[in-house]
Amino acid sequence: MGRHTVAASAKKPGRKLILSIIGAIVVVGVVAGGVFLWVGDYLNPLFASAGTGCAEPEELVVVADTSIAPALTDIAEEFDQDSELCVSTEITAQDSADTAAVAASGGMDADVWVPDSSVWLDRMNATASSLGQSQPAVEARESIATSPVVFAGASTKATEIAAEPVSWARVLGGTLPTILPDPEASAASLAGLLTLRAHSAPEDPRQFAGAMVALSKSIPASTSAAFGAASAGQEPVVVVTTEAQVAAYNLDDPTESLVAAYPVDGTVSLDYPFVRMTATDAAGGSESADSSDSADSSDSADSESADASKAELLDAFEAAVRDSAKTFAAAGFRAPDGSGELDIAGLGAEAPEAQTALDGAAQLEILRSWSVLTLRSRMLAVIDVSGSMEEPAENGLRRIDIFQQAAVGAMQKFSGEVELGVWVFSTARNGELDYEELSPIAPLGDAAHSQQIAGVIQSLPARLGGATGLYDTTLAAVQRVRETYDPEKVNSVLLFTDGKNEDENGIDLETLLAELAKIDDPTKPVPVIMIGIGPEIDLDAMQRITQATKGAAYSATKPEDLGVVLVDALTQRSCRPNCG
């Protein structure tokens, strides 16, 4: 009879370090990754020999995502007790994001890995390539379980949540308050974003981009933190998660349970592939088990025998896992084909109909966009308050009124970690200066600062007057942001104008371009993002200025297009100045 060892969750490498490695492949030229080397003894605790039934049990080490590790622990215990093989199986719980990064660095010492999505294999391989490592020689076998992506809400708010059918369309439209755990660490969130994109209008990419901006306003560090926020909030809100995570939460007997809400417009399921960490050939031997020319023949025979023995144990354990449908169902998992019934509070008994399999490459593409979008910004907003901003737009509102509406909407989408300051400009606005500082650059998470900026936005109509002092203001704004540069953030100038430079006493365009070139510092980039409002802008001058700073110029021909242009300004940071 074998013996089973129950391992505590593995000590986690620092999440920031792990995610910086993954970030190296999703944000080109933005995030630098380090390499975490897994200490050799991380997954090799000492085994006592007393009472095992055999002198030296063969050890199997299985690293499993934290969501499925408890079920695998129960299966391993029964397998070790019932197996005629002399085996001791250890299940180590670890978040798949961490395991993927460790495996990519070549530091993983395990026989099997069970992540909560096949997308982690794609990320492991991409990360290995970015680190100059060979892709790990793994063998990904079919899924052992699945869990559909759902929305979870506090049970006490279930009636309010169900007052209107939950759907991805409502998330896109901003009518379903939603918390999205960090997609860098949550396969459910990443799959949810892929599903969200599938439901967005293909002819309007800004719809999905705008939804991501809204979801990124608050990013919980973990799914459990998201569950806590959903329960603690006064208003009904849902969390993007899986059935299995809802089941695990409810089975832990919380003070307030969760209920799973199934999207009426369909969902997807996460798979749990059984991954052998060393690929084996048809004969059961390891691909890496070839003898060197200098190896002793007896050593080679011993090595081949050990490989065959390990392969036999892996086959037997995999078979036991695949024959454990009841154990998985009791933990909230569906069968590999998505079928099965569950009897767990908060979940539907019948499996929802899942859509087609998840596309790993598409998920990585979305993750790259998300990573760029959520880079924390440090912006100086520079607003044109010249007299022409009082001109009416086609809808009857003044240009400044349209700007106010768009600015309030943008403020609501920004994370509290975003730093924002506000200037206004027009000729002779502040003595001989064309610009006036109304709010310093500071975090929007500071309630007093956020209220100050809201007050500035409301006061803009009363500040109108003068001509457009564009060039002097642009130069001063770039100089100010560079003087207070924060290397941990994306520093930029966001300038709004409805006209062309009209300051006859200020610098001309060529002088401005020369000064920008003189103060340019590649180690402290300050791109200027110019947004022109209305038909009277000097788009050519705007493009020359933004190209000089590696920024971008946008035109809102109609002032009511300003909200759409703001989404572009936020989401195109990775392609400037050549977004096309």
Side-chain angles (χ1 to χ4, degrees):
M1 181 180 69
R3 181 180 62 84
H4 172 255
T5 299
V6 180
S9 297
K11 181 181 179 182
K12 295 182 181 179
R15 171 58 56 83
K16 290 184 178 179
L17 180 56
I18 291 296
L19 294 185
S20 71
I21 297 174
I22 293 176
I25 61 100
V26 296
V27 189
V28 178
V30 178
V31 181
V35 179
F36 178 83
L37 297 179
W38 199 321
V39 178
D41 290 337
Y42 229 34
L43 295 178
N44 293 294
L46 298 176
F47 291 90
S49 60
T52 62
C54 55
E56 296 182 5
E58 183 78 23
E59 299 174 7
L60 285 184
V61 177
V62 180
V63 180
D65 186 80
T66 52
S67 61
I68 202 169
L72 287 174
T73 297
D74 293 340
I75 295 169
E77 181 176 26
E78 185 175 349
F79 170 70
D80 287 358
Q81 290 175 349
D82 296 344
S83 175
E84 296 180 357
L85 303 170
C86 183
V87 59
S88 175
T89 307
E90 179 192 354
I91 308 297
T92 299
Q94 182 143 37
D95 289 342
S96 294
D98 295 347
T99 310
V102 170
S105 72
M108 184 169 173
D109 182 13
D111 301 304
V112 175
W113 175 29
V114 182
D116 64 346
S117 173
S118 294
V119 73
W120 296 113
L121 297 171
D122 296 320
R123 294 177 69 178
M124 173 188 70
N125 290 334
T127 303
S129 297
S130 74
L131 296 174
Q133 300 270 6
S134 298
Q135 294 183 356
V138 303
E139 182 183 357
R141 300 200 171 192
E142 293 182 357
S143 174
I144 60 173
T146 58
S147 188
V149 176
V150 298
F151 297 121
S155 58
T156 56
K157 302 180 180 69
T159 301
E160 295 174 82
I161 292 172
E164 186 177 346
V166 298
S167 65
W168 298 107
R170 286 184 60 198
V171 178
L172 281 169
T175 61
L176 179 62
T178 305
I179 298 175
L180 187 78
D182 190 357
E184 291 275 10
S186 169
S189 292
L190 187 53
L193 287 177
L194 182 65
T195 309
L196 195 64
R197 189 178 72 173
H199 285 85
S200 64
E203 69 277 7
D204 183 13
R206 295 185 183 93
Q207 185 184 40
F208 175 57
M212 286 205 298
V213 170
L215 289 169
S216 69
K217 181 176 181 180
S218 177
I219 308 173
S222 65
T223 299
S224 60
F227 288 164
S231 297
Q234 296 297 316
E235 300 298 324
V237 63
V238 297
V239 178
V240 177
T241 184
T242 63
E243 272 189 333
Q245 288 172 315
V246 175
Y249 186 85
N250 287 348
L251 289 171
D252 199 33
D253 194 24
T255 302
E256 180 177 13
S257 61
L258 300 173
V259 291
Y262 298 84
V264 296
D265 45 2
T267 190
V268 294
S269 284
L270 299 187
D271 63 337
Y272 284 76
F274 190 92
V275 183
R276 294 195 180 189
M277 294 309 293
T278 301
T280 55
D281 58 27
S286 168
E287 289 182 355
S288 60
D290 294 337
S291 303
S292 65
D293 294 337
S294 61
D296 182 85
S297 60
S298 62
D299 291 340
S300 177
D302 290 343
S303 177
E304 291 177 1
S305 175
D307 289 337
S309 175
K310 180 59 69 73
E312 181 183 4
L313 291 177
L314 289 172
D315 287 340
F317 179 66
E318 183 178 353
V321 169
R322 296 189 183 282
D323 195 33
S324 301
K326 290 184 178 179
T327 301
F328 286 129
F333 292 91
R334 306 284 181 177
D337 64 358
S339 64
E341 292 190 4
L342 301 180
D343 184 17
I344 297 175
L347 302 182
E350 299 295 330
E353 183 177 347
Q355 298 170 352
T356 56
L358 293 168
D359 184 334
Q363 289 182 84
L364 290 184
E365 176 190 344
I366 288 175
L367 189 61
R368 284 191 290 271
S369 298
W370 173 267
S371 299
V372 170
L373 181 66
T374 54
L375 289 171
R376 294 314 178 196
S377 298
R378 183 175 179 277
M379 296 181 290
L380 176 58
V382 183
I383 306 166
D384 187 344
V385 289
S386 59
S388 57
M389 286 290 284
E390 199 162 5
E391 294 293 323
E394 291 182 5
N395 60 4
L397 294 176
R398 296 174 300 173
R399 294 174 182 173
I400 193 65
D401 298 327
I402 299 296
F403 172 80
Q404 281 182 303
Q405 292 178 1
V408 170
M411 284 278 291
Q412 293 173 345
K413 291 183 178 182
F414 284 154
S415 160
E417 296 183 25
V418 169
E419 295 183 5
L420 182 67
V422 179
W423 285 9
V424 293
F425 73 99
S426 64
T427 52
R429 164 61 45 180
N430 182 19
E432 295 183 357
L433 300 178
D434 291 342
Y435 49 89
E436 179 182 1
E437 178 180 326
L438 299 183
S439 181
I441 301 175
L444 291 175
D446 182 332
H449 181 66
S450 184
Q451 291 173 3
Q452 182 187 42
I453 290 182
V456 167
I457 294 173
Q458 293 302 316
S459 73
L460 292 177
R463 299 178 183 275
L464 299 182
T468 305
L470 182 62
Y471 298 157
D472 281 356
T473 300
T474 300
L475 180 59
V478 172
Q479 290 172 327
R480 174 65 63 84
V481 174
R482 181 164 285 121
E483 288 169 0
T484 57
Y485 193 87
D486 183 348
E488 300 298 322
K489 296 184 181 293
V490 177
N491 299 255
S492 61
V493 172
L494 189 60
L495 189 147
F496 305 86
T497 183
D498 75 335
K500 56 186 177 181
N501 185 68
E502 298 171 324
D503 185 359
E504 297 179 355
N505 297 318
I507 60 175
D508 59 16
L509 179 59
E510 297 305 324
T511 302
L512 170 61
L513 296 175
E515 289 297 318
L516 289 174
K518 185 184 302 182
I519 65 174
D520 181 50
D521 183 351
T523 66
K524 295 181 178 180
V526 180
V528 175
I529 314 302
M530 284 191 163
I531 299 178
I533 306 171
E536 300 164 6
I537 60 172
D538 186 350
L539 186 58
D540 178 67
M542 290 169 55
Q543 289 174 335
R544 293 183 66 186
I545 294 168
T546 57
Q547 287 173 0
T549 61
K550 297 181 175 60
Y554 299 91
S555 173
T557 304
K558 300 177 181 179
E560 53 265 36
D561 294 337
L562 184 57
V564 172
V565 172
L566 279 172
V567 172
D568 284 346
L570 289 172
T571 58
Q572 294 183 353
R573 291 186 288 192
S574 62
C575 60
R576 294 179 193 137
N578 302 308
C579 295

